[in-house]
Structures are given as structure tokens and as C-alpha cells.
Amino acid sequence: MIQTPPSADRLAAVSFWFKAAEVSAFPENGGACVKYQDQQIAVYHFAKRNEWYASQNLCPHKQQMILARGLIGDQCGEPKVACPFHKKTFSLLTGENLNGECYHIETYPVKIEDGYVYIGLRD
């Protein structure tokens, strides 16, 4: 299974891989939320692109834990998630706000091993 190819910089920043859940726990072409300590992390399975992404679950626009339920798609080939409440869109590669506003989201590298989804985190 193909996973998101993280940049060398993002991989260098990973200090450990969090075992989130089995691949089957995530909907195809959608997202689900996992919790690591006090963090909510949205995990997205782009089944039609055979790719995985992860980001913070908090939408910075209205401070709501909702991005895992957002709509995923792409903008000129850039994978994105749209907040289901206000349609603010964010790149799943960089976290950049694609609406041109100043706030952004944290994104995380993802890997798939032995049927499990792992999220790259920092201490």
C-alpha cells in the first residue's frame, strides 16, 4: 500500500511513530480521529489515490475539533481537506491555508506497516 511520501525534512523531525489503528478502522476516501495523549489527530485515507495523510483535528478558524469529518479532495493536484462547517481548506502536505488566510494546520507523516497506520510525531 502506498503511503504519503514525506519530505526528508519532515522525516528528520519524526522522533517516534505512533501506532494509531488498523487500516480497516479508517473509512475509504474520508477521515477519522485518533487520540495521542492530549492531541486529537485526523487521519485521512485517500483510497482513490492510494495515499494516507494526517493533520491536527482542530480547525483553527473557529477552534472546533472537526477536520477528521472534513471533505477531502485536491486543488490542482494538492491533496486538501475542507472544514465541514465553514469550508476553509488546508493542504494535507504542508498544512497551508488554501484560502489565503494566515492560519494553518499541523500535518504529520504517515506510514502503513503490517496492516496498521502509524503517525510520525515529535517529542
Side-chain angles (χ1 to χ4, degrees):
M1 183 170 291
I2 295 173
Q3 57 214 29
T4 307
S7 68
D9 290 345
R10 294 187 72 204
L11 282 177
V14 171
S15 55
F16 65 97
W17 291 92
F18 168 61
K19 188 177 186 179
E22 291 184 28
V23 166
S24 61
F26 300 94
E28 291 187 355
N29 298 309
C33 181
V34 298
K35 191 166 183 183
Y36 175 74
Q37 296 179 343
D38 62 346
Q39 291 181 308
Q40 289 189 27
I41 301 171
V43 178
Y44 313 95
H45 181 198
F46 261 82
K48 63 184 176 184
R49 294 170 57 137
N50 202 21
E51 297 172 346
W52 291 81
Y53 298 94
S55 73
Q56 67 184 50
N57 194 36
L58 178 72
C59 178
H61 175 235
K62 293 289 185 179
Q63 302 295 307
Q64 295 172 309
M65 295 290 189
I66 192 66
L67 290 179
R69 299 177 69 193
L71 302 173
I72 59 173
D74 73 73
Q75 184 170 322
C76 300
E78 178 102 8
K80 69 175 185 176
V81 61
C83 174
F85 287 143
H86 304 99
K87 309 301 183 238
K88 302 296 183 185
T89 58
F90 302 93
S91 165
L92 290 173
L93 290 175
T94 65
E96 175 187 0
N97 181 314
L98 298 174
N99 301 101
E101 295 159 307
C102 62
Y103 46 84
H104 68 282
I105 60 172
E106 184 74 28
T107 60
Y108 308 97
V110 175
K111 69 178 183 178
I112 309 298
E113 283 184 4
D114 300 325
Y116 283 88
V117 177
Y118 291 82
I119 302 167
L121 298 174
R122 296 183 286 267
D123 284 330

